[in-house]
């Protein structure tokens, strides 16, 4: 539904999907993400330095821009020979956030008319900018990804400087069939990986920050736990240790619930067997879909579902374990989110880093919950009202 019919997310045939997904699986295993977590920690440090600059200057921070710059640098550093350096920008590169909102806003149109994007790609840039301005941003980025992959193919990646290959370098050196390694198809995967790794997690982080700041009891309890676990605010615990913190874990779980992950209906097809549901029999090949919103907002499972209540997950070993079977922010099964461990790691490390350094000094400003926070649109991911200027905060000097 994004004009990428050959990407992992859009691959229909089960065997082809399994082959393409398996090529990425090692990068996104829990063990691999723990090995990569020091890079995520460095990005947290970069983010906090930028936040400190905003604090010193008394400038407000657009949380969606800041967190998208963070997640964007994390996922592009992993995917390509170098990150995009979004956190090097003092304004958090707002055009990067706008790129993904532009792509997502066109998702319903592209789902119904999948030929639009391939047709647009055949036009020169000047034509797209003049006659299709809403799609010009994604057009330019497709050209950027194609150039990056072309450079990797030509051996001009420069990854030897950092001592580890990127995802796309490894794929191009794999035994995948030639079509799976073609520039056109890998550009589709680049959009999928970088987009999913940027915007869904940044929305979750923004909502977690908003709701935690808005409830002083939640913020105080989290800050107290982080202060006790990390006496030095500038030394972040390793990911494996942060995952042991009870209240931080409850906040991560509640964040995944209230942010949904993906709000759109995700179709699944059983190709060769009938599915029986109560008195209904669905023939083989029948698409079945649902949205996470219906589960995460079900008051019979999660009482008062639109309230941010980390305590609902406590104790983690009993009540938390029981509720987790209803948590489908990453979907389930063979097509569940490939980057679930990376996204969760960013939640733990990002929230721990920001609230350990700035907890108790954060204040939401120029933000209206009904306009800037609440789910109003489904553009594959949840979206606030289209006239929203984002969730903003300032950091008090004392």
């Amino acid at each position: 539904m994004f004009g990428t019919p050959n990407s992992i997310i859009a691959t229909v045939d089960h065997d082809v999907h399994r082959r393409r997904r398996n090529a990425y699986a090692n990068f996104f295993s829990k063990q691999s993400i723990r090995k990569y977590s020091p890079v995520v920690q460095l990005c947290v440090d970069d983010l906090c330095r930028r936040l400190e600059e905003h604090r010193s200057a008394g400038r407000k921070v657009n949380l969606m821009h800041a967190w998208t710059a963070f997640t964007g640098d994390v996922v592009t550093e992993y995917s390509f020979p170098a990150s995009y350096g979004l956190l090097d920008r003092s304004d958090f590169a707002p055009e990067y956030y706008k790129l993904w909102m532009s792509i997502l806003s066109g998702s319903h149109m592209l789902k119904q008319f999948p030929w639009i994007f391939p047709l647009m790609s055949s036009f020169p840039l000047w034509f797209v900018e003049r006659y299709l301005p809403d799609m010009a941003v994604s057009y330019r980025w497709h050209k950027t990804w194609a150039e990056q992959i072309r450079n990797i193919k030509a051996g001009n990646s420069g990854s030897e400087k950092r001592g580890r290959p990127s995802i796309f370098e490894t794929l191009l050196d794999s035994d995948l069939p030639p079509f799976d390694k073609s520039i056109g198809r890998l550009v589709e995967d680049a959009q999928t990986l970088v987009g999913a790794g940027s915007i869904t997690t940044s929305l979750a982080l923004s909502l977690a920050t908003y709701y935690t700041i808005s409830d002083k009891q939640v913020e105080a309890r989290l800050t107290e736990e982080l202060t006790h676990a990390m006496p030095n605010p500038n030394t972040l615990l390793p990911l494996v240790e942060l995952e042991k913190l009870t209240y931080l874990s409850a906040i991560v779980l509640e964040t995944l619930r209230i942010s949904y992950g993906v709000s759109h209906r995700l179709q699944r097809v059983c190709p060769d067997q009938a599915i029986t549901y109560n008195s209904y029999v669905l023939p083989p090949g029948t698409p079945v879909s649902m949205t996470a919103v219906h589960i995460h907002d079900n008051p019979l499972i999660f009482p008062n579902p639109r309230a941010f209540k980390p305590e609902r997950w406590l104790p983690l070993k009993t009540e938390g374990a029981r509720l987790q079977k209803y948590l489908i922010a990453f979907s389930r099964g063979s097509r569940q989110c490939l980057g679930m461990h990376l996204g969760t790691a960013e939640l733990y490390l990002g929230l721990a880093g920001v609230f350990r350094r700035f907890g108790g000094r954060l204040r939401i400003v120029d933000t209206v919950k009904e306009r800037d926070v609440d789910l109003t649109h489904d553009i594959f991911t949840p979206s606030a009202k289209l006239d929203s200027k984002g969730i903003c905060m300032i950091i008090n000097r004392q």
Side-chain angles (χ1 to χ4, degrees), residues 49-309:
R49 278 193 288 271
R50 285 293 175 212
L51 294 178
E52 179 61 31
E53 291 174 5
H54 280 65
R55 184 199 67 81
S56 299
R59 295 196 301 266
K60 69 180 180 181
V61 176
N62 184 310
L63 288 172
M64 284 303 299
H65 295 170
W67 282 122
T68 305
F70 164 71
T71 57
D73 273 356
V74 169
V75 73
T76 55
E77 175 73 19
Y78 208 26
S79 300
F80 299 109
S83 79
Y84 288 165
L86 304 169
L87 290 171
D88 294 339
R89 294 266 302 274
S90 61
D91 61 353
F92 301 111
E95 72 278 2
Y96 184 75
Y97 168 72
K98 292 174 183 177
L99 156 71
W100 297 112
M101 293 307 293
S102 172
I103 291 175
L104 290 167
S105 296
S107 60
H108 294 295
M109 178 71 73
L110 290 171
K111 183 176 183 178
Q112 303 305 321
F113 306 101
W115 48 266
I116 290 178
F117 200 89
L119 177 64
M120 182 195 70
S121 298
S122 67
F123 297 148
L125 177 58
W126 67 265
F127 182 91
V128 176
E129 289 182 331
R130 183 170 180 177
Y131 296 105
L132 301 166
D134 290 342
M135 305 190 78
V137 177
S138 57
Y139 178 97
R140 285 193 294 270
W141 276 91
H142 268 245
K143 299 300 182 185
T144 297
W145 293 321
E147 185 64 24
Q148 286 181 291
I149 294 169
R150 197 173 291 113
N151 286 337
I152 294 172
K153 270 195 163 186
N156 301 325
S157 65
S159 65
E160 64 278 356
K161 296 178 182 179
R162 66 179 187 177
R164 59 176 174 80
S166 65
I167 291 175
F168 284 104
E169 288 172 288
T170 303
L171 287 183
L172 286 167
D173 196 37
S174 71
D175 59 358
L176 282 171
F179 177 75
D180 285 6
K181 296 192 289 185
S182 66
I183 291 176
R185 202 200 74 78
L186 289 181
V187 165
E188 295 185 19
D189 271 0
Q191 175 176 313
T192 301
L193 288 179
V194 178
S198 296
I199 201 67
T200 53
T201 311
S202 67
L203 173 61
L205 284 161
S206 298
L207 291 177
T209 307
Y210 169 83
Y211 282 115
T212 301
I213 296 172
S214 299
D215 189 324
K216 293 307 175 185
Q217 290 184 333
V218 171
E219 184 180 17
R221 186 170 177 180
L222 174 62
T223 303
E224 181 182 6
E225 182 179 68
L226 294 175
T227 302
H228 182 266
M230 297 180 289
N232 184 346
N234 297 312
T235 303
L236 197 60
L237 280 177
L239 174 62
V240 67
E241 297 299 323
L242 290 175
E243 290 172 338
K244 298 176 183 178
L245 299 182
T246 300
Y247 200 65
L248 175 60
S249 296
I251 284 180
V252 168
L253 290 168
E254 183 69 346
T255 296
L256 292 172
R257 184 193 70 81
I258 210 162
S259 64
Y260 307 116
V262 169
S263 55
H264 196 65
R265 296 171 293 105
L266 299 176
Q267 293 87 351
R268 299 290 184 265
V269 177
C270 185
D272 49 18
Q273 294 181 5
I275 298 175
T276 301
Y277 176 73
N278 293 335
S279 60
Y280 300 95
V281 177
L282 306 179
T286 303
V288 179
S289 62
M290 63 166 286
T291 169
V293 177
H294 290 162
I295 301 296
H296 290 192
D297 279 1
N298 187 334
L300 299 179
I301 303 171
F302 301 104
N304 194 9
R306 295 318 300 156
F308 187 79
K309 297 174 61 177

